[in-house]
Amino acid sequence: MTRATVPNLGLVPLPRVVEPTGMEPFAVTAGTAIVLGTDDERLRGIARFLRDLIGTAAAPTPPAIVAPGGAVPPGAIVLELGEGPVGAEAYALHVTPDRVTIRGREPAGVFRGVQTLRQLLPPLVEFQAVRPDVARPVRVPAVRIEDAPRFEWRGAMLDVSRHFFPVADVQRFIDLMTVYKLNRLHLHLSDDQGWRVVIDSWPDLTEKGGASEVGGGRGGFYTKDDYTAIVRYAAERFITIVPEIDMPGHTNAALTSYPALNCDGAAPAPYSGVQVGFSVLCVDRESTYSFIDDVVRELAALTPGEWFHMGGDEVERLTPAQYVGFVERVQDIVGAHGKRMIGWDEIGAARLRETTVVQHWRPKTTAAAAVAKGAKVVVSIADRAYIDMKPDPATPIGQTWAAVIDVRTAYDWDPVATAGVPAQAVLGVEAPLWSETIATIDEAEHLAFPRLAALAEVGWSDAARRGWEEFRLRLAAQGPRLAALGVNFHRDAGVPWTP
Ligand code: TNX
């Protein structure tokens, strides 16, 4: 499929306005420079990102970065802050034969615009080495684009507890999220099978609780420096890390590390199976809350983002009153450490603050009760957004309890209609990748793609302008890019991939 026959230049997610101008394309040559139109430290970081992306695709040396002030040389790519489409991640991208301009009101918008420019460049720029077999110069079609996201929360979740993923794997996952303009990475940092981040005041959480995983492997954990490196890497790509410590259930790893957190005071064995619902913190004991306070305080101090995720799902060992009382106390602790709480939709049973967010995951339920209390909703409905579900019955990895989710199913729905709550209550969408059945980043990528790209569009693009028949052609055009990025994506049968 050539670019001319692909609708909307093959861009995913679909921008608000895409107007090809009919002018000659812009050519990236040895003379191309990246010019900072505004003096801003974050823009400088974005310029370095773009320079590294273009790399040696166009010329033997990457483009130079030119400081603001002087005249703009011909053939420049200009990054600037200024008036344009409204919103922190909004941008305008204008490609003419002799200049590319990307303007945002904020650096985040310019960065999203750079991802659009990236998708207008041929997939060869994604290769880490020079490709002598490709025609040069590299060209960008002349176009005027104006763009802004529909939802402020467009996330993915990586379960690093059931199987541990080292820092480099998480950074790779962030790289792939970046291509599709996602902006939240929720890390599921603790569960029955492993506790994955160091808490200095409770060192055994990782010393003991980090040494297990599904299937009996060695597990692993992030030091505080590791976690900070992930936060920084994400921030450079305008992605916010949302840390989750799952409680009061899903806590076997904590209970094996500190038996006093268990009402019977006995340490359970480390767990490497895949059942849920059997573990619970001793919620009626005061010392449990000093533990939680320490954990939230230490993690909040390392987390610049607004949110702290308390889990709250699948608790089978408490009365409803115990559960609700627990959620309300944790909400106070999270608030005291300056964060907004988010939790799985079960927390909707508690009294929630208006700043609290409910993550709606259970099919055939609504989050209406939580919304009535003023809470906001992130939609992660399992039969649409759970990318740990098999994309195809024949896929050896993945689960099926919620559904088999092909890419059309992941794409062809509306979060507001599905959540059954008013549009203003919906913050956005998030795709959870649980890791019971996956142990490597290659497996994670195979489950995530192309569905994560489809869900990124569900979160970014206006509902009225989206349609499956048009999307499948644009998605097909992403195939060579994903391949160049080394992603072993699922060749979904509904998409006309080129060989
Ligand atoms: C349900 S989703 C869970 C997780 C599992 C997942 C597997 C949710 C809040 N709880 O504990 O990993 O299903 O698909």
Side-chain angles (χ1 to χ4, degrees):
M1 201 165 10
T2 64
R3 188 172 269 165
T5 65
V6 176
N8 291 299
L9 300 165
L11 296 169
V12 175
L14 178 63
R16 280 207 180 152
V17 177
V18 181
E19 284 178 5
T21 61
M23 287 191 267
E24 288 300 304
F26 176 87
V28 183
T29 68
T32 300
I34 300 169
V35 175
L36 293 163
T38 311
D39 194 8
D40 180 278
E41 198 40 47
R42 299 217 74 183
L43 274 193
R44 213 158 288 182
I46 297 168
R48 287 191 293 267
F49 181 99
L50 179 59
R51 176 197 62 197
D52 294 348
L53 176 71
I54 294 174
T56 50
T61 52
I65 297 175
V66 177
V72 176
I77 301 173
V78 181
L79 307 182
E80 62 187 20
L81 300 177
E83 290 303 300
V86 178
E89 296 180 277
Y91 66 91
L93 167 63
H94 202 177
V95 181
T96 67
D98 57 19
R99 186 182 292 188
V100 174
T101 309
I102 303 176
R103 185 190 305 140
R105 290 180 182 241
E106 299 196 25
V110 175
F111 188 74
R112 302 298 174 229
V114 163
Q115 302 314 311
T116 302
L117 173 60
R118 170 189 207 160
Q119 291 193 9
L120 295 173
L121 289 162
L124 73 100
V125 300
E126 309 291 353
F127 285 106
Q128 291 303 301
V130 180
R131 296 287 305 244
D133 55 322
V134 174
R136 290 191 173 72
V138 163
R139 293 181 203 281
V140 182
V143 66
R144 201 181 66 82
I145 290 175
E146 286 194 4
D147 203 8
R150 177 180 179 198
F151 292 113
E152 73 172 75
W153 187 300
R154 305 175 313 278
M157 188 209 83
L158 191 58
D159 173 5
V160 298
S161 177
R162 271 54 176 272
H163 282 98
F164 179 66
F165 291 86
V167 173
D169 287 354
V170 179
Q171 291 174 335
R172 160 76 174 173
F173 197 72
I174 289 170
D175 287 340
L176 297 175
M177 290 173 65
T178 299
V179 180
Y180 297 103
K181 303 187 172 78
L182 293 164
N183 67 356
R184 304 275 183 269
L185 176 59
H186 167 183
L187 290 175
H188 185 73
L189 289 166
S190 73
D191 210 303
D192 293 316
Q193 296 87 346
W195 185 289
R196 306 299 182 205
V197 63
V198 166
I199 303 297
D200 292 328
S201 53
W202 298 78
D204 286 352
L205 289 171
T206 42
E207 284 303 315
K208 293 186 177 159
S212 46
E213 65 184 7
V214 167
R218 292 170 42 237
F221 60 85
Y222 307 121
T223 64
K224 286 194 164 178
D225 284 349
D226 289 341
Y227 180 82
T228 300
I230 292 170
V231 166
R232 190 176 315 120
Y233 193 84
E236 285 165 3
R237 287 152 185 78
F238 298 86
I239 292 174
T240 301
I241 297 294
V242 180
E244 176 184 354
I245 297 296
D246 203 348
M247 54 187 146
H250 291 273
T251 42
N252 193 77
L255 301 176
T256 57
S257 312
Y258 291 99
L261 296 171
N262 199 351
C263 280
D264 73 9
Y271 186 66
S272 57
V274 295
Q275 299 306 307
V276 297
F278 58 89
S279 57
V280 72
L281 296 173
C282 193
V283 300
D284 294 331
R285 197 178 286 152
E286 204 46 37
S287 53
T288 296
Y289 298 94
S290 15
F291 163 75
I292 294 168
D293 189 75
D294 287 336
V295 169
V296 176
R297 176 171 34 79
E298 290 197 33
L299 255 183
L302 299 177
T303 305
E306 273 183 83
W307 295 277
F308 182 95
H309 200 306
M310 67 149 299
D313 56 315
E314 300 177 317
V315 177
E316 295 172 9
R317 298 281 161 95
L318 298 180
T319 65
Q322 281 178 309
Y323 176 78
V324 161
F326 177 83
V327 170
E328 290 169 4
R329 284 210 57 181
V330 174
Q331 181 173 246
D332 289 343
I333 292 171
V334 170
H337 293 295
K339 298 294 175 194
R340 293 174 64 175
M341 190 172 86
I342 170 166
W344 298 106
D345 61 34
E346 289 94 325
I347 69 165
R351 245 177 308 158
L352 300 179
R353 301 182 181 195
E354 295 202 350
T355 51
T356 292
V357 175
V358 166
Q359 189 165 7
H360 184 194
W361 68 279
R362 290 176 297 177
K364 302 181 193 65
T365 67
T366 86
V371 168
K373 295 168 187 163
K376 295 277 192 289
V377 180
V378 168
V379 184
S380 290
I381 206 84
D383 54 6
R384 297 285 189 175
Y386 267 36
I387 51 178
D388 66 317
M389 294 298 129
K390 288 182 192 284
D392 174 321
T395 303
I397 49 176
Q399 309 215 48
T400 55
W401 68 261
V404 170
I405 304 179
D406 62 13
V407 72
R408 181 177 186 160
T409 304
Y411 182 77
D412 217 353
W413 62 293
D414 183 67
V416 171
T418 302
V421 297
Q424 321 78 270
V426 178
L427 268 190
V429 296
E430 183 177 299
L433 181 48
W434 302 98
S435 63
E436 287 95 333
T437 71
I438 57 174
T440 67
I441 189 67
D442 290 336
E443 292 172 330
E445 289 173 20
H446 188 69
L447 287 182
F449 288 95
R451 293 178 296 177
L452 189 54
L455 288 155
E457 176 153 316
V458 171
W460 182 281
S461 308
D462 294 330
R465 299 192 59 247
R466 300 203 283 117
W468 165 252
E469 291 303 330
E470 188 265 358
F471 174 70
R472 61 199 278 276
L473 303 180
R474 277 184 291 116
L475 187 60
Q478 293 292 313
R481 186 167 308 272
L482 288 168
L485 283 161
V487 179
N488 176 23
F489 61 97
H490 175 68
R491 267 68 174 176
D492 187 285
V495 180
W497 307 108
T498 45

